[in-house]
Amino acid sequence: MNYNFEIEKTINEIKNRGAKRVLLQFPEGLKPFSLQVVEQLKEKLPNIEFLISTEPSWGACDIAEDEATTLKVDLIIHYGHTPYTWYYPKFPTVFIEVRSNLYISDQQVANLKSLLEEKYKARRVSITSTIQHVHLIKQLATKLQEFDVVVGKPSSPFMYDGQILGCDYKAALNVEADVYLNISGGLFHALGVGLATGKPVIKVDPYTERNEDLTSEVYKILKVRYGKILKALDAKTWVIIQGVKTGQNRPLMVKYFEKKLKERGYKVFVVTNRSLSKDTLRNVDNDEIDTFVVTSCPRLPIDDLYDYEKPVLTPGEAKMIIAGNLDKYIFPW
């Protein structure tokens, strides 16, 4: 496995807490390793009952508390995240970070330097990463001594310098830079950095050993998002979607939007949802509804619902309309 699942730490936590029945929760990318993890745990803890949750888990905002209560387990082991900025589970939960064992090669660093110098003539560079690669930030910074490297502070004491989440980019927003680097696999987090900062963003991918400039991709997404916003300007009836997952339930945000939209003369409805999809929207949609705004996860409109028939907005996009200021794109909140 290319990841450190901290088996010994997990064993010690289970022993110290006296747990007999344990629910293991993995995010989507780590679920394929779940059986191997259980095998290793069972070698040292043969009398402990382990259950693996296959329910979707998109972050530390999505702890399987209801599932754990139903299954009458003693403890949740949640893999792949640090605790969430705005919510901490009430059910006994241990967070295992699952750091990656991959590294950034000298050849990849050399290619990155060329990209920064030749394309952007960058002087100041920000580095962020997901929790899996946060230990690589200092390593990369020391290899980019030709540049003024800045690493921002996160929004939460549970997080590390430079660490970002899919809905939290404070570590990027807290610094000014010419180009923003994000150490991660896939496109999800790096695109978020680009949307949040509005600056050039390069994904430094330790899995593919490639550096990918995503600036033009971010621009394409922004064109789509502004199209949704402009269409929503003519909306008369809004539906606010309130998430009912414990870590995604934001009643104060719902009340804020309800109040502000009604002040502008709009008709407003509030619906609740646990796992939002296009089918969910189609089931509630009718000719009267003009626009939806999602308050649970701001990535849903960007990644999953962007091509829905009617505008589905993030909280930041709805704030732009309420403020009557479309000049600066607000992402995520």
Side-chain angles (χ1 to χ4, degrees):
M1 293 187 287
N2 286 326
Y3 298 97
N4 178 9
F5 284 90
E6 298 188 76
I7 298 299
E8 290 303 319
K9 176 184 176 179
T10 306
I11 289 170
N12 290 333
E13 289 282 0
I14 293 170
K15 286 180 177 178
N16 293 338
R17 295 166 182 261
K20 301 298 182 185
R21 188 172 162 90
V22 179
L23 180 65
L24 306 181
Q25 187 179 24
F26 298 81
E28 301 312 286
L30 296 179
K31 277 186 171 67
F33 302 106
S34 58
L35 298 183
Q36 292 171 268
V37 170
V38 170
E39 285 183 337
Q40 293 183 48
L41 293 173
K42 290 290 283 185
E43 285 181 9
K44 299 290 184 68
L45 299 172
N47 296 321
I48 304 300
E49 184 177 3
F50 292 100
L51 302 172
I52 301 170
S53 173
T54 61
E55 288 294 304
S57 174
W58 306 111
C61 61
D62 192 8
I63 306 298
E65 294 186 79
D66 292 345
E67 191 176 349
T69 301
T70 299
L71 296 171
K72 295 182 170 57
V73 301
D74 307 309
L75 183 66
I76 298 171
I77 305 292
H78 182 88
Y79 289 99
H81 301 105
T82 50
Y84 190 44
T85 306
W86 299 284
Y87 144 78
Y88 197 90
K90 296 180 176 60
F91 198 95
T93 302
V94 173
F95 290 87
I96 302 295
E97 295 175 358
V98 192
R99 300 285 184 94
S100 168
N101 298 324
L102 299 175
Y103 65 96
I104 301 169
S105 69
D106 290 340
Q107 181 61 54
Q108 188 174 0
V109 173
N111 292 338
L112 179 60
K113 288 180 181 180
S114 297
L115 182 57
L116 290 170
E117 291 168 349
E118 295 172 11
K119 184 171 184 178
Y120 290 107
K121 295 180 173 50
R123 295 183 178 181
R124 201 162 206 236
V125 176
S126 161
I127 305 179
T128 59
S129 82
T130 59
I131 184 59
Q132 273 65 55
H133 312 290
V134 75
H135 54 287
L136 296 178
I137 291 178
K138 287 184 179 179
Q139 295 180 27
L140 181 58
T142 60
K143 294 180 179 181
L144 296 177
Q145 294 181 354
E146 302 93 329
F147 307 92
D148 178 12
V149 177
V150 288
V151 179
K153 293 290 182 183
S155 63
S156 165
F158 294 117
M159 298 167 66
Y160 297 86
D161 288 357
Q163 182 189 344
I164 53 99
L165 308 176
C167 63
D168 186 341
Y169 297 93
K170 285 294 183 184
L173 292 169
N174 283 339
V175 296
E176 286 290 336
D178 302 317
V179 180
Y180 289 76
L181 309 179
N182 180 251
I183 307 171
S184 63
L187 299 177
F188 183 84
H189 293 93
L191 289 177
V193 172
L195 290 171
T197 62
K199 295 288 189 69
V201 59
I202 297 172
K203 181 187 66 161
V204 181
D205 193 327
Y207 300 94
T208 63
E209 299 184 25
R210 294 178 57 203
N211 308 303
E212 188 173 357
D213 187 346
L214 296 177
T215 307
S216 60
E217 187 64 28
V218 172
Y219 180 66
K220 290 177 185 177
I221 294 173
L222 282 173
K223 287 198 293 185
V224 172
R225 297 318 305 169
Y226 267 100
K228 305 292 183 185
I229 294 168
L230 292 174
K231 189 173 182 181
L233 288 175
D234 297 324
K236 301 300 181 185
T237 301
W238 289 62
V239 171
I240 302 171
I241 302 170
Q242 180 170 355
V244 292
K245 289 186 178 183
T246 308
Q248 296 183 357
N249 182 11
R250 299 182 174 84
L252 294 180
M253 184 182 290
V254 171
K255 291 298 181 185
Y256 165 82
F257 282 124
E258 191 173 13
K259 177 176 181 292
K260 292 296 183 179
L261 291 169
K262 285 182 177 178
E263 286 176 355
R264 292 175 65 90
Y266 300 140
K267 186 182 290 187
V268 181
F269 297 91
V270 178
V271 301
T272 64
N273 176 264
R274 180 173 294 274
S275 296
L276 192 59
S277 68
K278 292 176 188 175
D279 287 338
T280 306
L281 292 183
R282 289 189 177 112
N283 285 337
V284 73
D285 199 4
N286 60 43
D287 292 339
E288 185 180 6
I289 298 171
D290 300 310
T291 297
F292 298 87
V293 56
V294 177
T295 63
S296 54
C297 175
R299 294 305 296 251
L300 286 167
I302 302 291
D303 300 299
D304 296 339
L305 303 169
Y306 67 94
D307 58 349
Y308 189 67
E309 294 85 355
K310 295 178 181 178
V312 183
L313 304 183
T314 69
E317 292 166 350
K319 285 183 178 179
M320 291 166 65
I321 292 175
I322 290 170
N325 184 358
L326 307 187
D327 292 340
K328 182 177 179 356
Y329 184 73
I330 300 175
F331 182 78
W333 308 109

